[in-house]
Amino acid sequence: MAKGAAMIGPRMATMLAFLLTDAPIGYEQLHLVLSEAVEHSFNCLSVEGHTSTNDTVLILSSGAGREPALDGADLAAFAVAVVSACESLAQMMADDGEGATHFITIDVEGCDSREEARTIARSIADSALVKTAIHGADPNWGRIVSAAGYAGVPFAEEEVSLWINETCVYRKGAPTEFDTAWLSANLRANRDVHLRLTLERGGGKIRFWTCDLTAEYVRLNADYTT
Amino acid sequence: MAKGAAMIGPRMATMLAFLLTDAPIGYEQLHLVLSEAVEHSFNCLSVEGHTSTNDTVLILSSGAGREPALDGADLAAFAVAVVSACESLAQMMADDGEGATHFITIDVEGCDSREEARTIARSIADSALVKTAIHGADPNWGRIVSAAGYAGVPFAEEEVSLWINETCVYRKGAPTEFDTAWLSANLRANRDVHLRLTLERGGGKIRFWTCDLTAEYVRLNADYTT
């Protein structure tokens, strides 16, 4: 179970998530499993990048005291299940972002480290210009590549390639000759958008989720007084 | 002269600024004077925080070779004039932000350094939730203080006070009993908004400019294909 919608830029955010299990697993291992799951799910999520003051992810096990406790292959399978549940919740929160008309998955690959990939992905996800371009079904490679460029990770243009919904729009530092009208129609027709940006330096990669920025988001956040 | 409107998060941005003078001043001194002016003007500006790939500030002097070159009090007065011109241009760019209905001046004071103050000011300026709150005339101290909180500068709540249009809404870590209806009406009636956030640790401060986030901004950036 998770509550999201906005003020979402978890490290964490105004995000309340509760996971329940009856697995026989104690505090220390449950903490390790959940920390790893959060790292691959809630911390790969942004609605508008505004980190909140009261994020919470809890996992409760009714089987905590039961013997024998999970170990070996069972513990590994449990950890995979928790990662999967958290990823699913994080994806639903981005998809449910205030006013969203597109759910955006961002893969950043080929970086020196996972943190480097996250920094680039977050910069793309938090760009109002990227988010409005996708809202407008505009396959605007310039806004995406420039958001990667100002993320704070030094790289050369020639290292960068970019795909929008599996169409390569930018290859090794230069735009390709893609069919913009077709890709725009594709973006307009699909709620799900996939951005994939690659560098060419290593195995560091991340999958990150966000949504587009719409007039409805502005209305929802301007038209009430707290 | 300057061109701005959006993709503005200068360090620099899609911002072209040209300054002309007939002062008798050579390259090195003009460069120093302009660098100092940029630091106090264009680098204290954000529309939506999207740094661009082609920022330019040029200053041209038709008097570069003339003798005697400016020095002493004349050079100081010239430097003050360049800072003033750049500040004025930077303010006009924020005020002219795409779709803007409010021009926002953010003073952050009492920090350890000017860079610390800039980091906090930029975080507030770039928050979609702060920008939509001001668009909706909502004196929402929580969004402003939390944006300061996630800027990456560690501080305690008790150090923070906040004024919106000279009304203290948050003092030393707690909201005040201000007249929200009056302050909301005041925000609705005035295009100019002044936020002042203070810490209590030193003399580091900055003045930073931005604008609000409106449905018109979204429309302008979603409804055209580049």
Side-chain angles (χ1 to χ4, degrees), chain A residues 10-83:
Chain A
R11 291 172 251 190
M12 310 290 294
T14 303
M15 210 199 70
L16 308 175
F18 307 94
L19 296 109
L20 291 85
T21 177
D22 62 357
I25 182 170
Y27 170 76
E28 281 186 24
Q29 282 184 316
L30 202 52
H31 183 73
L32 283 175
V33 164
L34 184 60
S35 299
E36 183 70 9
V38 165
E39 148 67 19
H40 284 81
S41 56
F42 301 114
N43 285 348
C44 302
L45 166 68
S46 172
V47 167
E48 81 292 80
H50 194 113
T51 305
S52 178
T53 51
N54 48 349
D55 300 310
T56 304
V57 176
L58 289 179
I59 187 164
L60 306 172
S61 173
S62 61
R66 216 161 71 225
E67 295 292 342
L70 289 179
D71 66 1
D74 287 344
L75 181 59
F78 177 74
V80 168
V82 174
V83 170

Side-chain angles (χ1 to χ4, degrees), chain B residues 12-221:
Chain B
M12 309 291 294
T14 305
M15 208 199 71
L16 308 174
F18 307 94
L19 296 109
L20 291 86
T21 176
D22 62 357
I25 181 170
Y27 170 76
E28 282 186 24
Q29 281 184 316
L30 202 52
H31 183 73
L32 283 175
V33 164
L34 184 60
S35 299
E36 182 71 9
V38 165
E39 148 68 18
H40 284 81
S41 55
F42 301 114
N43 284 349
C44 303
L45 166 68
S46 172
V47 166
E48 81 291 82
H50 194 113
T51 305
S52 179
T53 51
N54 49 349
D55 300 309
T56 305
V57 176
L58 289 178
I59 186 164
L60 307 172
S61 173
S62 62
R66 215 161 71 226
E67 296 289 343
L70 288 179
D71 65 2
D74 288 344
L75 182 58
F78 177 75
V80 167
V82 174
V83 170
S84 172
C86 288
E87 281 184 353
S88 171
L89 290 168
Q91 290 167 18
M92 283 189 278
M93 289 166 78
D95 192 39
D96 197 38
E98 287 181 329
T101 65
H102 287 89
F103 168 68
I104 305 167
T105 300
I106 304 172
D107 282 316
V108 176
E109 302 171 1
C111 296
D112 275 335
S113 68
R114 182 170 168 81
E115 277 319 301
E116 207 177 82
R118 193 197 311 273
T119 300
I120 292 171
R122 191 183 295 279
S123 184
I124 295 169
D126 285 347
S127 162
L129 287 174
V130 169
K131 293 158 94 79
T132 50
I134 289 175
H135 178 48
D138 178 8
N140 195 316
W141 57 266
R143 294 186 186 179
I144 300 165
V145 171
S146 61
Y150 68 69
V153 176
F155 58 81
E157 278 170 64
E158 295 67 31
E159 293 181 71
V160 183
S161 298
L162 174 70
W163 289 256
I164 301 176
N165 281 359
E166 323 318 325
T167 296
C168 183
V169 296
Y170 191 87
R171 192 189 311 274
K172 296 181 188 294
T176 66
E177 296 283 334
F178 65 97
D179 183 339
T180 53
W182 181 87
L183 189 51
S184 179
N186 174 281
L187 286 168
R188 191 163 288 110
N190 291 290
R191 182 175 179 89
D192 289 358
V193 175
H194 183 210
L195 308 180
R196 178 167 168 256
L197 184 141
T198 60
L199 299 183
E200 299 184 355
R201 49 178 62 182
K205 63 178 183 176
I206 203 162
R207 173 160 287 185
F208 204 95
W209 303 283
T210 189
C211 57
D212 56 353
L213 173 62
T214 69
E216 179 68 3
Y217 173 91
V218 175
R219 194 190 65 71
L220 285 165
N221 285 291

Side-chain angles (χ1 to χ4, degrees), chain A residues 50 127 140 143 146 224 226, chain B residues 50 127 136 140 143 146 224 226:
Chain A
H50 194 113
S127 161
N140 195 316
R143 294 187 186 179
S146 62
Y224 76 99
T226 50
Chain B
H50 194 113
S127 162
N140 195 316
R143 294 186 186 179
S146 61
Y224 76 100
T226 48

Side-chain angles (χ1 to χ4, degrees), chain A residues 110-226:
Chain A
C111 296
D112 275 334
S113 68
R114 181 169 168 82
E115 277 319 300
E116 207 177 83
R118 193 197 311 273
T119 300
I120 292 172
R122 190 183 295 281
S123 185
I124 295 169
D126 285 347
S127 161
L129 288 174
V130 170
K131 292 157 95 78
T132 50
I134 290 174
H135 178 49
D138 179 8
N140 195 316
W141 57 266
R143 294 187 186 179
I144 298 165
V145 171
S146 62
Y150 68 71
V153 177
F155 59 80
E157 278 170 64
E158 294 69 30
E159 293 180 72
V160 183
S161 297
L162 174 69
W163 288 258
I164 301 177
N165 281 358
E166 324 319 324
T167 297
C168 184
V169 296
Y170 191 87
R171 193 189 310 273
K172 296 180 187 294
T176 66
E177 297 283 335
F178 65 97
D179 183 339
T180 54
W182 181 88
L183 188 51
S184 179
N186 174 281
L187 286 169
R188 192 164 287 112
N190 291 289
R191 182 176 177 89
D192 288 357
V193 176
H194 183 210
L195 307 181
R196 178 167 167 255
L197 184 140
T198 60
L199 299 183
E200 300 184 355
R201 47 178 64 180
K205 63 178 182 175
I206 202 163
R207 174 160 285 184
F208 204 96
W209 303 284
T210 188
C211 57
D212 56 353
L213 173 61
T214 69
E216 179 68 3
Y217 174 90
V218 174
R219 195 189 65 71
L220 284 165
N221 284 291
D223 288 3
Y224 76 99
T225 296
T226 50

